[in-house]
Each structure stands twice: as structure tokens, then as C-alpha cells.
Amino acid sequence: MENKNRYNEILTKEGFKKTKHRTDILEILYNSDKPLSAEEIYLYLKQNDSSISLSTIYRNMDRLIERNLVIKNTLFNDNKARFEISRKNHKHHIICLKCNKMIEIDECPFKELENKIKNETGFEIETHKFEIYGYCENCKDNKK
Amino acid sequence: MENKNRYNEILTKEGFKKTKHRTDILEILYNSDKPLSAEEIYLYLKQNDSSISLSTIYRNMDRLIERNLVIKNTLFNDNKARFEISRKNHKHHIICLKCNKMIEIDECPFKELENKIKNETGFEIETHKFEIYGYCENCKDNKK
DNA sequence: ATGTGTGCAAAGAGTTTGCATAGGT
DNA sequence: ACCTATGCAAACTCTTTGCACACAT
């Protein structure tokens, strides 16, 4: 956690109060290379001598998502929401169907495609989701 | 529902008993142009003078997914699972963030990318998800 | 001082499970 | 006859909400 003040300015501008919980959540997501569930955030704080209630996490997520500071990710198959920081350069992942290991995919090759689809459908495009699923090297010979 | 026997052969081969509920579910998904939630399937049958319990739907889904006859889709943001028939040529969609209107995207341009990622990560790739989100022509001037 | 933020417990929503009965082979 | 499939109700998991108190501005 190098810079606890990373989000101070933005929080003020967006009308948020700067609370410890809010900055904690944002820092955890900022420093994570993968989307985290509410429970994962909860446990992280617990293991680092802090404490927070799950309802506080969910309530903050709602507001941070509204202001586009956080993105809700439902790409796993366990019906559990995960959250990630909204970054200028978003990332996609490849996810192991057995152990849930995730590796980032560097490129996002969808800019052209989005333009094409915008023209064809008249949609105003906000975002997209793309993830690949399979079995990682450790799991692929032992899928069950 | 043109052909109630579409899945009979497959069901037998996969060790399923041919029950009315199972073929109903498969036909509904087969004839739907979008993924359906368990409740949507439940209501569809109810409105068509049939009846089924939600647990039956969920139990069937688990088994049909195991055999790759059905795909679980978690790409919506409401933490509700949706199910779709597994087709030879899968489709991607663009989804309106307000009214949930979906339009199919014709192409699936990810075959090359999958090969590249397979080589880079060692993953054995099973599938991928890709959807685009935005506002359709009707909703884009009135997002709230 | 005011309004926003928080914890706790309870409520909600979606999904899963145990058990007795019904139905397919 | 056997074993799978189903309905019902209860249990479970994740998320949301009401309320009283705490904290940031």
C-alpha cells in the first residue's frame, strides 16, 4: 500500500467522505491484479489487523460503481460478484475452471470491433467483458 | 416447439431418462434467442399450462451443463444465472444496460487469439465469454 | 451541527439439498 | 423391479436493508 492518498482528490470531487474503510477498499482493489469478492476484501482487512462489516463493503461498492471508480465483474460461474478498480487500461483474464487461477491477457483487441458494432446496431457502447476459460497447466491432467 | 424429439437421441446416449421436464427445458432453451434464467423457464412453463418446480430446473441444469448440452451464462450484472443451449456456432451479444435488449453479434473473432494465449500460458482452453454493454437506440438519451 | 458512514441483526433473493413419492426403462 | 427424476420444504449463501450510533466536514 504505497500511497494511501491516491484517491483522496477523486473522493472529494465525487462528494464522498474520506473514510478509512473507503480508502482501504480502493487501495486493496488498486493493488490487486484480479477482481475480488466482497468476502475476499473482508478477509484481507481482517488479516491485516483491521475490520469492516460486509454491509459496508457492499454499500461502498454500489456507490463506487455508480461513480465509475469500480467495476462489478460477474464473469465467474459461482454467482458471486467480484469487484475491480476501473483503470484507464482495462485487462482481460484467462481463468482456470478448476482452481480459479487467473492470468492477465495483455491485449484488448476490441476497439475496432466496438466501432463496427456501434455503427451496425446504433448502440452507445459503454464497456465490454471478455474472459477465456480453461484448465491451467497444473489442473489440465486432473480436471475433476 | 417444432420438434420435441430433437434431443431424444442425445439424452439416451448421455444416460438421461427422457422426461417431459427435461425435453421441455431443452426445447425452451433451443427456441430462445437469449439466455434464460431458471425463473424465466419456470414462468414460461406455467404460462403454457405446464408446471415444474424450480429445484427440478436447477438440478437439470447442473446435469445438462456437465454434459455440455447447456452453458451457464453469468454475464448480466444481477447475480442471477442464465442458461443457454450449447450450439455448434456460439454467439456473442450486445446488451442494453437499461432495458436489457440483446442483439446478436455475428462474428466470433477469437480463434487466433485463443491459440496465441494457449501457447503463452499453457492453458487448455475450453471456452470464452465476450459481451458488449451499452445503451440501445431507445435508451441512450434517457439512461436513468 | 449536520448529514453521511458504519455495524449489527434481520430480511431478501437465488440456489441447493434431504426426503418421500412418482415415473422411465 | 430398479434406479433416476421430481416436488416440497427447509437450509444455505450472497446481498440488501432498517435502525441506532459514530464519524467526517
Side-chain angles (χ1 to χ4, degrees), chain B residues 17-19 55 58-59 79-81:
Chain B
K17 295 195 170 170
K18 273 172 268 173
T19 64
S55 52
Y58 283 114
R59 271 191 277 233
N79 297 331
K80 205 183 280 192

Side-chain angles (χ1 to χ4, degrees), chain B residues 3-33:
Chain B
N3 180 6
K4 282 273 183 193
N5 300 316
R6 203 185 326 270
Y7 286 99
N8 279 359
E9 205 179 314
I10 296 173
L11 288 179
T12 306
K13 199 182 71 187
E14 297 284 347
F16 289 104
K17 295 195 170 170
K18 273 172 268 173
T19 64
K20 177 171 184 313
H21 287 150
R22 196 118 65 201
T23 50
D24 279 354
I25 289 170
L26 285 167
E27 283 296 317
I28 291 167
L29 293 180
Y30 182 87
N31 289 309
S32 172
D33 59 351

Side-chain angles (χ1 to χ4, degrees), chain B residues 30-43:
Chain B
Y30 182 87
N31 289 309
S32 172
D33 59 351
K34 57 182 210 290
L36 300 176
S37 67
E39 202 189 359
E40 286 171 325
I41 296 168
Y42 171 82
L43 291 175

